[in-house]
Amino acid sequence: MTPNRPIVVVTRRLPEAVERRLACDYAARLNRSAGDESPDAAAILALAAEADAILCTTAERFDQALIERLPASVRIIATYSVGYDHIDLAAAAARGIIVTNTPDVLSEATADVAWLCLLGASRRATEGDRIIRDGRWGRWSAVAFLGTGLQGKTLGILGLGRIGRAVARRAIPFGLTVVYHNPKPVPDAAAIPAAYEASFDRLLARSHFLSLHAPANAATRKMVNAAALAKLPKGAIVVNTARGGLIDDDALIAALESGYIAAAGLDVFEGEPAINPGYLALANVFLLPHIGSATVETREAMGHRAVDNLDAFFAGQAPRDAVSR
Ligand code: DGY
């Protein structure tokens, strides 16, 4: 180990080009576990001995208890994700640890998956796929597999950040009107094909399709609960590519079972990968395993963005993507 190269703990396997860069520029402690498992808190602490930095992913939880036990040598946690709800920012700040994320580079890929979820749910892709695989496909029918059309309807976006905007842009060629709800209207509203709705309840009442793009925090936790679902028009479709905690799963499952909500397209789940088993029995949910950013190009770009942040920090500059509460 070259003494002047900072030690970086990398909790998970990353794209090859990113690992090569890390191994070249840093004393990198790369995850070489056979199954690419997330290290638990004890393993992270063991790996972090004398380390200067940790490059983690959304799958490892850096709560107060873990952050308080990190060695004093750790000065930065660079997460390989745009979301940072898995890191206790207050605990990190109390230890003087900087936290960075990877915004921008995954917005388009995640918006694509939001649309995959919207279309998969609205056109009953789960049922269609199953019936073919099970050998139960009969003759073409004029009345089977009827989904929900998009033209002339309204897409409600909760959280018009970078990903929400990319989702809104894609809505226009589909003939949808877009409305969004944020705590405040976005400043560059004229550039975005979406109208502001100050009231979340009114957004719900207008949304034939509801797509979630808000961060997970105390204010957004279970925002989509039984009361919110009841305010959507009957037959609405719910899409979530943000964080599972935004949805009250039992309420959504009940609404899907009753048919009040026609379908849901979900890429993220509370407690994932151990998702609420109620979803598994339902044909009107289109399920994906948290793959919003999972393209070759995006995952490489996320890695480089995380390493750019480390480079800036160790060059004595402010990292571009430092996050705070
Ligand atoms: C993120 O970046 O927050 C995603 O959930 C993982 O790519």
Side-chain angles (χ1 to χ4, degrees), residues 58 81-83 106 243 290 293 299 302:
T58 187
S81 60
V82 66
L106 47 67
R243 285 292 183 267
H290 199 150
S293 63
R299 288 288 166 86
M302 288 167 68

Side-chain angles (χ1 to χ4, degrees), residues 8-10 26 36 53 55 77 84-85 123 131 146 162 173 204 212 226 259 262 307 309:
V8 179
V9 171
V10 184
Y26 293 93
D36 177 29
L55 201 169
I77 300 174
Y84 44 86
D85 50 296
R123 298 304 296 273
I131 208 160
L146 304 188
R162 300 175 189 87
L204 293 168
L212 308 182
V307 182
N309 284 313

Side-chain angles (χ1 to χ4, degrees), residues 52-168:
D52 299 286
I54 298 177
L55 201 169
C56 68
T57 74
T58 187
E60 295 91 44
R61 210 169 130 64
F62 282 77
D63 57 15
Q64 185 178 358
L66 172 55
I67 289 175
E68 282 176 350
R69 293 176 64 204
L70 288 174
S73 57
V74 172
R75 287 175 295 143
I76 177 167
I77 300 174
T79 182
Y80 179 85
S81 60
V82 66
Y84 44 86
D85 50 296
H86 54 296
I87 302 173
D88 186 326
L89 293 185
R95 293 282 318 268
I97 297 172
I98 289 185
V99 176
T100 63
N101 69 341
T102 62
D104 303 317
V105 291
L106 47 67
S107 304
E108 302 301 326
T110 307
D112 288 345
V113 167
W115 274 91
L116 177 61
C117 287
L118 192 153
L119 292 169
S122 63
R123 298 304 296 273
R124 303 173 58 166
T126 301
E127 290 165 82
D129 183 82
R130 271 193 200 161
I131 208 160
I132 292 178
R133 289 179 199 276
D134 295 351
R136 290 184 289 114
W137 188 17
R139 288 182 172 235
W140 183 91
S141 161
V143 291
F145 294 110
L146 304 188
T148 304
L150 275 58
Q151 289 281 329
K153 306 240 175 91
T154 297
L155 167 65
I157 293 184
L158 176 65
L160 197 78
R162 300 175 189 87
I163 299 170
R165 287 160 198 247
V167 169

Side-chain angles (χ1 to χ4, degrees), residues 1-285:
M1 187 174 70
T2 317
N4 56 1
R5 284 195 308 168
I7 300 173
V8 179
V9 171
V10 184
T11 57
R12 302 294 297 282
R13 194 173 282 268
L14 297 181
E16 230 180 281
V18 178
E19 290 196 341
R20 265 203 310 275
R21 179 174 163 192
L22 281 161
C24 190
D25 298 346
Y26 293 93
R29 293 183 183 158
L30 301 176
N31 181 336
R32 284 289 168 262
S33 62
D36 177 29
E37 294 95 10
S38 275
D40 61 14
I44 289 172
L45 288 171
L47 285 165
E50 290 170 30
D52 299 286
I54 298 177
L55 201 169
C56 68
T57 74
T58 187
E60 295 91 44
R61 210 169 130 64
F62 282 77
D63 57 15
Q64 185 178 358
L66 172 55
I67 289 175
E68 282 176 350
R69 293 176 64 204
L70 288 174
S73 57
V74 172
R75 287 175 295 143
I76 177 167
I77 300 174
T79 182
Y80 179 85
S81 60
V82 66
Y84 44 86
D85 50 296
H86 54 296
I87 302 173
D88 186 326
L89 293 185
R95 293 282 318 268
I97 297 172
I98 289 185
V99 176
T100 63
N101 69 341
T102 62
D104 303 317
V105 291
L106 47 67
S107 304
E108 302 301 326
T110 307
D112 288 345
V113 167
W115 274 91
L116 177 61
C117 287
L118 192 153
L119 292 169
S122 63
R123 298 304 296 273
R124 303 173 58 166
T126 301
E127 290 165 82
D129 183 82
R130 271 193 200 161
I131 208 160
I132 292 178
R133 289 179 199 276
D134 295 351
R136 290 184 289 114
W137 188 17
R139 288 182 172 235
W140 183 91
S141 161
V143 291
F145 294 110
L146 304 188
T148 304
L150 275 58
Q151 289 281 329
K153 306 240 175 91
T154 297
L155 167 65
I157 293 184
L158 176 65
L160 197 78
R162 300 175 189 87
I163 299 170
R165 287 160 198 247
V167 169
R169 280 200 315 274
R170 285 159 174 73
I172 302 311
F174 281 103
L176 285 155
T177 297
V178 187
V179 290
Y180 76 95
H181 173 74
N182 273 19
K184 281 193 243 154
V186 296
D188 52 345
I192 304 149
Y196 182 57
E197 182 50 86
S199 145
F200 180 48
D201 285 357
R202 279 202 301 273
L203 177 97
L204 293 168
R206 293 173 67 183
S207 300
H208 302 104
F209 301 89
L210 175 70
S211 192
L212 308 182
H213 302 286
N217 54 39
T220 59
R221 179 149 183 81
K222 300 205 180 192
M223 209 166 165
V224 181
N225 51 25
L229 291 165
K231 288 177 185 129
L232 287 165
K234 183 167 171 16
I237 284 168
V238 175
V239 169
N240 191 8
T241 53
R243 285 292 183 267
L246 269 60
I247 291 182
D248 177 336
D249 287 324
D250 290 332
L252 179 57
I253 289 163
L256 287 161
E257 278 168 352
S258 75
Y260 186 81
I261 297 299
L266 307 173
D267 181 49
V268 288
F269 303 87
E270 172 94 318
E272 61 185 46
I275 78 170
N276 188 316
Y279 286 122
L280 304 180
L282 293 172
N284 54 347
V285 277

